Amino acid sequence: MSRSQPYQPLLLRILHGFNALLIILAILTSFWVYNTYDGRLIRLPLPNIPDMIGIHGTFGLWVLIIFPFFAVYSFHRGEKRLIQADSVNKLSQVGKPIWWYSLYRIINTIMLLAATWALITGRNMKEEWLPDGKLDMMWYNLHVSAWIILVICLIVHILMGLKVGGVPLIVSMFNWKYRPSDSPKLWGQNIKTFLNKTRGTRE
Ligand code: HEM
Ligand code: HEM
């Protein structure tokens, strides 16, 4: 790997990768659910798969399990890639690289909020509503709003990534190679050092 390539910490790649994959699967299966039972705005000629709601609920549940770990990572070790105290001020420097970076950090942060909104509204959904034709339930409409928000944000997130770092940045997020200093073999030791440090500061 050349030195000039962007490098992402392995733990970030693992958490971000699983999280992104599961969210995309939830988005696709949920569109299928909408297409089968609702279809008010658009309807594609997709075949009817019986347990699509169950499949979507399962992916949703997996996001619910993985997402908190990714969010904790982002707010702690990945904090530099999220909104900074001066991000909004930097937005006055329209068109300069820092402007794009500030926007990128803001959209990364919004991704976390959009995913949280989808999870909260999803948890309030009832499996029976759509098969029973109850399309005007408040939580269902809020859950659909989460889909729209998440898809728009995801497109902006990817386009902004391409803008600030180009294809190499996107590839770096899904690359399998890692530096020896980032090896999972060292994670046990890192956790011990971290715990010792926090214990040290408390005493
Ligand atoms: C048009 C968009 C969507 C529709 C029609 C839809 C439909 C549904 C339905 C019918 C349920 C109830 C199923 C069950 O409880 O097993 C549900 C639950 C859920 N959905 Fe969605 N959904 C949509 C978008 C999304 C998106 C984008 C996510 C992103 C992560 C998501 C995550 C969840 C979660 C976490 C649950 C709760 C699962 C559980 O607690 O069992 N949904 N959704
Ligand atoms: C295929 C879809 C996706 C691509 C190509 C992608 C790409 C990227 C890239 C390249 C970065 C690194 C930015 C940097 O080094 O400055 C990043 C960071 C990030 N992505 Fe994505 N992403 C995708 C999906 C998602 C999804 C679904 C979420 C939902 C929550 C998400 C949330 C984030 C967050 C919060 C960060 C910042 C992480 C940190 O604080 O360290 N991404 N993404």
Side-chain angles (χ1 to χ4, degrees):
M1 208 187 314
S2 95
R3 269 290 180 190
S4 58
Q5 288 281 90
Y7 183 77
Q8 308 292 349
L10 182 61
L11 186 56
L12 171 62
R13 274 178 280 158
I14 293 173
L15 291 174
H16 180 274
F18 272 117
N19 183 67
L21 176 73
L22 290 167
I23 287 192
I24 289 168
L25 289 172
I27 288 176
L28 295 176
T29 49
S30 62
F31 180 80
W32 211 304
V33 171
Y34 155 86
N35 201 66
T36 310
Y37 298 100
D38 187 341
R40 272 175 288 185
L41 294 176
I42 32 167
R43 185 167 248 155
L44 303 181
L46 299 174
N48 191 355
I49 296 185
D51 197 30
M52 208 40 157
I53 293 186
I55 297 173
H56 169 68
T58 308
F59 284 133
L61 218 49
W62 274 105
V63 178
L64 209 59
I65 294 168
I66 295 286
F67 179 74
F69 290 97
F70 176 51
V72 167
Y73 179 98
S74 299
F75 281 120
H76 290 271
R77 297 219 11 217
E79 183 261 336
K80 284 267 166 298
R81 296 163 216 248
L82 299 182
I83 189 165
Q84 308 291 307
D86 60 355
S87 286
V88 176
N89 284 343
K90 295 261 162 60
L91 288 183
S92 58
Q93 307 182 24
V94 180
K96 299 223 177 97
I98 187 64
W99 187 73
W100 288 107
Y101 275 110
S102 301
L103 275 185
Y104 191 40
R105 289 171 181 155
I106 291 171
I107 190 69
N108 286 353
T109 314
I110 293 176
M111 284 305 287
L112 295 178
L113 299 177
T116 308
W117 180 233
L119 294 178
I120 293 173
T121 54
R123 281 304 276 175
N124 283 289
M125 284 287 298
K126 294 269 172 302
E127 242 171 289
E128 318 75 61
W129 285 347
L130 297 186
D132 287 351
K134 292 186 182 150
L135 300 182
D136 50 3
M137 301 307 276
M138 183 188 72
W139 282 112
Y140 172 60
N141 287 295
L142 294 178
H143 199 45
V144 173
S145 82
W147 190 95
I148 298 170
I149 295 170
L150 201 52
V151 169
I152 294 175
C153 291
L154 183 58
I155 293 169
V156 176
H157 178 59
I158 296 172
L159 289 178
M160 289 292 259
L162 284 172
K163 171 70 196 167
V164 303
V167 174
L169 178 65
I170 304 288
V171 170
S172 72
M173 205 54 171
F174 297 93
N175 203 324
W176 284 111
K177 290 186 207 140
Y178 55 85
R179 293 180 184 155
S181 60
D182 215 5
S183 166
K185 286 187 202 129
L186 301 173
W187 288 359
Q189 189 53 47
N190 288 348
I191 292 172
K192 268 189 220 142
T193 317
F194 173 76
L195 290 178
N196 281 342
K197 247 195 239 158
T198 46
R199 236 175 261 143
T201 49
R202 240 185 277 139
E203 274 156 16

